Each structure stands twice: as structure tokens, then as C-alpha cells.
Amino acid sequence: MRKVFFLVLAAMAAFTAQAQNIQLHYDFGRNIYSDEESDRQKVTVTVEQFKADDWGSWYYFFDLDLTSKVTRSIYTEISRELKLGKESPLAAHVEYDGGLWHADVPNGCGSYQQAGLLGLAYNGHNADFSKTWSVQALYKQFIKSYDGTHSYPSFQLTGVWGLNFLDNKMTFSGFIDLWRGEKGANYGEKQGHGMLVLLTEPQLWYNVNKHLSVGTEIEISNNFIVNYYNDKTFFVNPTVALKWNL
């Protein structure tokens, strides 16, 4: 499952005030980690939209993780940025993260632990918008979402980038997140000690035309994937993907 993206489109959509796309990813994680990720979904559908206005911008995405039997999960992030000055690169950032999941076992339904985020973003670009970037420093409040979870304060550091090259035929984009989590916080286990969670999802796209792109995403994470098989915490999960820009 991908994170939670969440802000990649802001980098890719800098040319326009509004952009929306739909992505279809085939995930190779369960083929690479046949023990640790034997039940990982094979297909993820992502819908995301970025829209700028006079005050700042809106961004949302949702991921649907699919198996041959069920829709495994739906995860969303919704954010709003407010510019701090007409020409300032700084913006106030507020965000909500959450979602639902389904396991193919009796009573195997639940939710991801919800979180609210608030902080500052520093956004920039070069003269022709072929390079864009954002750096965010955020306070993150996890919310008690179901039995076995509790509210606790955290932080998140986020970086987002976008690079168009070869006369805009290629796009390299992605994000990197680092936050403080707690073991067991998302799966109803006994709460453990705090830990740093790393998640990054670089994407490389070949833009066939203004609507269609083909490419790949590589999810690299540490302490993000719950692994009951052994003590492995670091995973690299590649995909092949199609993207349709609306």
C-alpha cells in the first residue's frame, strides 16, 4: 500500500491552477517478499487532485488497494495550504489523514488510525516550473480511532519534488516522509515504544502525450509495513503503472 501520498501532485501540477489524475499500479511486493508480504495487494488505484486559488491550494488523494476477493483498503489525505504573503514561499499547512481497511478473515474490518497535521510549508520552483519542490515541518496529532489505539502527539517532516526533462517527455517526482509512530498503533496490538517511520515513493514517468503516462513507483520504507513473520522493517516495493491526466 502506498502512503499516503499526498502532495506529489502539487509538484507535477505547478504548470496549471488545477490538475487531476488517475493512476493504476501493479505491485510486485508479494512476489519479492513472499513470506513477509504474502497478503499484500497486487493492484492499487489512486485518484488525486491539486487546485490552486487566490489564497493558496487544496490537495487530496485516495488509494484503493484491491485483491481478487475484496477491496482491501481505502486511504485518503486531504490538505489545505494558505499563503503567508502574496510573494512569500511560506504557507500554513493543515491536513487530515485516515481510511478504512478490510482483511479476508471473519470480522476483519477496521480503520487506519486517524491523524491531523498542522505546520509550515516552504514551496519553490525554477523560472519555467520544470523543477518544483516543497519542504514541510508539521505537528502531527494521532487520534484514538478504535480499541487498542490512543491519542498521542508526534511530528512529521515532508519533502516533495517534481522534475520534468527531455522536453517534458519524462517526469521524476515523489515525496519523502519521516514521522514518529508507535508500534502497534494501527493494528490493535499492545502499544509499544516510539519509533521513527520513513516512507518515500519516487515515481518515474514517460509522458506519451498530455493525458497518458507510463512508468513506475518504488515504495521504500522502514518501520512502515507491519511484519508478523520476522523482524524485518525495511522494504522496497516497486510497481509498474499507468496514469491518465484529466
Side-chain angles (χ1 to χ4, degrees):
M1 184 197 71
R2 299 194 309 143
K3 178 203 169 210
V4 137
F5 231 130
F6 10 19
L7 299 170
V8 173
L9 190 61
M12 299 189 299
F15 296 101
T16 62
Q18 180 171 342
Q20 187 176 22
N21 72 63
I22 301 173
Q23 300 175 25
L24 177 66
H25 291 261
Y26 185 88
D27 192 296
F28 293 98
R30 67 190 300 171
N31 302 106
I32 299 172
Y33 306 102
S34 58
D35 293 321
E36 296 91 344
E37 295 190 299
S38 60
D39 64 343
R40 185 178 176 90
Q41 83 288 342
K42 288 187 176 182
V43 176
T44 297
V45 176
T46 297
V47 177
E48 57 183 352
Q49 183 173 28
F50 171 84
K51 183 176 181 180
D53 54 41
D54 292 340
W55 294 352
S57 63
W58 285 97
Y59 172 78
Y60 76 85
F61 83 90
F62 62 86
D63 282 345
L64 291 96
D65 290 334
L66 308 177
T67 72
S68 60
K69 297 180 180 180
V70 297
T71 299
R72 172 67 57 80
S73 66
I74 179 170
Y75 179 85
T76 186
E77 294 186 3
I78 305 169
S79 66
R80 172 65 176 171
E81 288 195 353
L82 297 172
K83 294 184 291 186
L84 300 179
K86 187 175 182 180
E87 303 297 331
S88 174
L90 293 176
H93 182 103
V94 61
E95 181 178 329
Y96 165 81
D97 301 347
L100 302 172
W101 57 265
H102 177 280
D104 191 22
V105 296
N107 300 317
C109 299
S111 67
Y112 295 103
Q113 186 166 11
Q114 301 176 92
L117 297 91
L118 178 66
L120 289 175
Y122 182 92
N123 304 314
H125 58 83
N126 64 350
D128 64 358
F129 288 88
S130 62
K131 299 177 183 178
T132 58
W133 60 88
S134 177
V135 178
Q136 298 147 24
L138 306 170
Y139 170 80
K140 188 171 188 176
Q141 178 65 46
F142 284 95
I143 303 166
K144 178 178 173 60
S145 302
Y146 51 89
D147 291 343
T149 64
H150 67 280
S151 298
Y152 66 94
S154 181
F155 70 89
Q156 181 168 303
L157 302 176
T158 293
V160 183
W161 70 90
L163 172 64
N164 292 310
F165 58 100
L166 295 182
D167 196 26
N168 293 325
K169 296 301 291 183
M170 299 293 297
T171 298
F172 177 57
S173 58
F175 74 90
I176 183 169
D177 284 344
L178 179 70
W179 73 92
R180 177 190 174 274
E182 290 190 354
K183 287 188 175 180
N186 286 326
Y187 294 86
E189 301 170 352
K190 183 179 179 180
Q191 296 295 321
H193 58 79
M195 61 181 180
L196 288 178
V197 183
L198 173 70
L199 176 67
T200 182
E201 293 181 0
Q203 295 185 338
L204 182 65
W205 298 100
Y206 172 72
N207 303 311
V208 179
N209 53 47
K210 68 177 183 179
H211 291 296
L212 178 64
S213 300
V214 296
T216 183
E217 174 184 278
I218 302 177
E219 178 191 275
I220 304 169
S221 67
N222 191 55
N223 286 327
F224 178 66
I225 294 173
V226 175
N227 172 18
Y228 297 106
Y229 187 78
N230 54 33
D231 294 328
K232 183 177 177 61
T233 62
F234 181 80
F235 292 87
V236 178
N237 293 299
T239 76
V240 292
L242 294 173
K243 179 173 64 173
W244 186 261
N245 299 294
L246 302 175

